[in-house]
Each structure stands twice: as structure tokens, then as C-alpha cells.
């Protein structure tokens, strides 16, 4: 698929609500989508070294959306940055649309994994970071966005426990904390990662400057997690 140059990166953060409003239909998972919006925007706008032209480049950064249910914010950001045509957005969730209720890496340009089944993204990110290191590719960063409720899944804790001692410095995790986890305590998310040898920062998930500073914070020899707190899901 070729996208005209005039359609690439012509949208800003203020356009995202309008882009999201183009997506209608059932199973939108609105809170799941809007909780990720600011973190996704800051990553794609200021941090990730990936563009539509570089999405097959071996040296690109990898972004894995593990919190794949309710991907409207993800699709809006991808459209704003020129990965997918804006014209695809109104068809969200339709039978013949590439924009499904869960992202499909085969159908969505820029998507690195098919996601939606919670608990898979962080283990895949660990494997990706290991694979890149084994190939001698030390420049690409691997970023994965998960929800706080995903930490109820044991597979994530195995990944956390492995990544710290393995020194996966190019691995970054963003946890969107909207107080939807069944088994949680205040401050427990960052503490869990820190106990396994990770660098950890907790910030306001709506504050773009705080998110950016946390995303680029140095963490030599260790994987890094940013816990982005947003309004509670059921508030």
C-alpha cells in the first residue's frame, strides 16, 4: 500500500478526538482506548524511531501494543502519523475492514504483533529484545504497552523476572494504570518491576512532558518501565 506524501503526518494531537470519532460501532472499549491516548501520542510523536517509510527497516524501534482490546487510540495515532489512511477509520470493526477490534499485524501497517489476548505482549517483547541482541542489533528499542489488569496474568511476571537479570537495556514497558487490576495495591506496579531489577518511573499519564521525560530517562544495563496513571476506569 502506497500513501500519498501529502497525507503523511498532517495531523496533530488536537486532531485525535476527531479521528477517533470516525470509528463507530459496537465493542469500541472506549475507556481502554482513551486511557492509552496520551502515552501513544508521545511515543509516536517524540520517541519511537519508526516511520511509515521505515516500518520494514531492521534498525527501527519496535512498538508492541499488548493492550490490544479497544485499539481506537492506536488506530487514530497510526492514521495521524501516516501508517494507515484516515479513510480506513470509519470502517473500524466492519467485516471487510483491516482495522479489527484487535489489531492484526498482517492487516495493519505498522502493527508489530496481533494482540488482544492479554498477557502476551510483554513476553513477546522480551523475546524480541533477546532476538535483536543475538543478531548484534543494539540500536533498536523495543517498546510494549500493557494495561494494569494484564499484570493479573502470570506470563507477565515470568517475563518481568527474566528481563531484569538478563539486562535487556533496550526493553521498555509502558503500563497504563487505570485502576482496573483485580490484584493490586498503590505503588505495587513499580515496586514489582524494581524488585526484578528494572528501572521504574511512575508519572501522570496525561502529562506529555512528564511522559516524555520518563520515556527517555537513562537506565544503563536495565530494562525500563513507565507506569502511567490515568483516571480510574470506572470513575
Amino acid at each position: 500500500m502506497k500513501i500519498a506524501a501529502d497525507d503523511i503526518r498532517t495531523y496533530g494531537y488536537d486532531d485525535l478526538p476527531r479521528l477517533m470519532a470516525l470509528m463507530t460501532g459496537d465493542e469500541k472499549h472506549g475507556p481502554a482506548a482513551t486511557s492509552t491516548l496520551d502515552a501513544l501520542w508521545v511515543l509516536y510523536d517524540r520517541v519511537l524511531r519508526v516511520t511509515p517509510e521505515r516500518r520494514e527497516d531492521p534498525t527501527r524501534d519496535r512498538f508492541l501494543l499488548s493492550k490490544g482490546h479497544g485499539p481506537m487510540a492506536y488506530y487514530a495515532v497510526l492514521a495521524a502519523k501516516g501508517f494507515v489512511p484516515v479513510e480506513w477509520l470509519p470502517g473500524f470493526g466492519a467485516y471487510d475492514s483491516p482495522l479489527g477490534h484487535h489489531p492484526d499485524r498482517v492487516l495493519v501497517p505498522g502493527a508489530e504483533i496481533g494482540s488482544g489476548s492479554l498477557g502476551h505482549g510483554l513476553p513477546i517483547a522480551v523475546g524480541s529484545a533477546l532476538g535483536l541482541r543475538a543478531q548484534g542489533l543494539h540500536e533498536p528499542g523495543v517498546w510494549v504497552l500493557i494495561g494494569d489488569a494484564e499484570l493479573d496474568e502470570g506470563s507477565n511476571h515470568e517475563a518481568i523476572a527474566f528481563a531484569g537479570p538478563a539486562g535487556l537495556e533496550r526493553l521498555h514497558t509502558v503500563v497504563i494504570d487505570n485502576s482496573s487490576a483485580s490484584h493490586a495495591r498503590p505503588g505495587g506496579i513499580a515496586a514489582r518491576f524494581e524488585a526484578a531489577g528494572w528501572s521504574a518511573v511512575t508519572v501522570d499519564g496525561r502529562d506529555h512532558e512528564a511522559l516524555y521525560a520518563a520515556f527517555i530517562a537513562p537506565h544503563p544495563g536495565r530494562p525500563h518501565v513507565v507506569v502511567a496513571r490515568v483516571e480510574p476506569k470506572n470513575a
Side-chain angles (χ1 to χ4, degrees):
M1 179 192 67
K2 185 175 179 58
I3 301 173
D6 291 344
D7 294 333
I8 296 177
R9 290 184 292 279
T10 57
Y11 298 91
Y13 174 76
D14 291 341
D15 295 303
L16 295 180
R18 178 172 64 84
L19 295 177
M20 290 180 67
L22 295 174
M23 291 174 272
T24 59
D26 298 330
E27 298 186 27
K28 291 191 295 184
H29 292 282
T34 55
S35 68
T36 67
L37 184 63
D38 296 275
L40 284 169
W41 178 255
V42 174
L43 283 172
Y44 274 91
D45 191 54
R46 302 173 65 179
V47 179
L48 294 175
R49 297 177 308 105
V50 62
T51 63
E53 299 82 7
R54 290 190 61 194
R55 58 189 177 89
E56 301 295 335
D57 185 342
T59 66
R60 74 189 183 281
D61 287 345
R62 275 74 167 168
F63 174 78
L64 284 60
L65 181 70
S66 187
K67 187 178 169 69
H69 57 296
M72 293 196 308
Y74 183 49
Y75 293 154
V77 171
L78 288 179
K81 291 300 180 180
F83 288 89
V84 304
V86 171
E87 291 74 22
W88 284 9
L89 299 180
F92 166 69
Y95 176 77
D96 58 351
S97 172
L99 304 182
H101 294 301
H102 296 162
D104 185 326
R105 70 177 184 85
V106 176
L107 300 177
V108 182
E112 296 281 356
I113 59 171
S115 58
S117 182
L118 301 182
H120 293 337
L122 183 52
I124 294 173
V126 168
S128 298
L130 281 171
L132 290 167
R133 187 165 72 178
Q135 296 175 73
L137 294 172
H138 301 293
E139 182 181 358
V142 178
W143 293 78
V144 57
L145 187 149
I146 69 177
D148 61 324
E150 284 193 78
L151 293 175
D152 291 344
E153 302 287 344
S155 56
N156 278 321
H157 293 278
E158 293 180 6
I160 293 167
F162 177 89
L168 295 180
E169 182 176 338
R170 301 303 294 154
L171 175 64
H172 311 78
T173 298
V174 181
V175 182
I176 302 297
D177 182 6
N178 65 352
S179 303
S180 59
S182 299
H183 311 290
R185 64 177 179 82
I189 295 175
R192 172 66 186 92
F193 282 86
E194 288 177 321
W198 291 57
S199 166
V201 181
T202 300
V203 297
D204 179 347
R206 300 304 187 191
D207 185 329
H208 289 197
E209 293 306 318
L211 285 166
Y212 178 67
F215 290 159
I216 66 170
H219 49 96
R222 296 191 291 168
H224 184 56
V225 63
V226 175
V227 181
R229 289 179 173 168
V230 298
E231 57 280 0
K233 177 180 178 181
N234 296 315

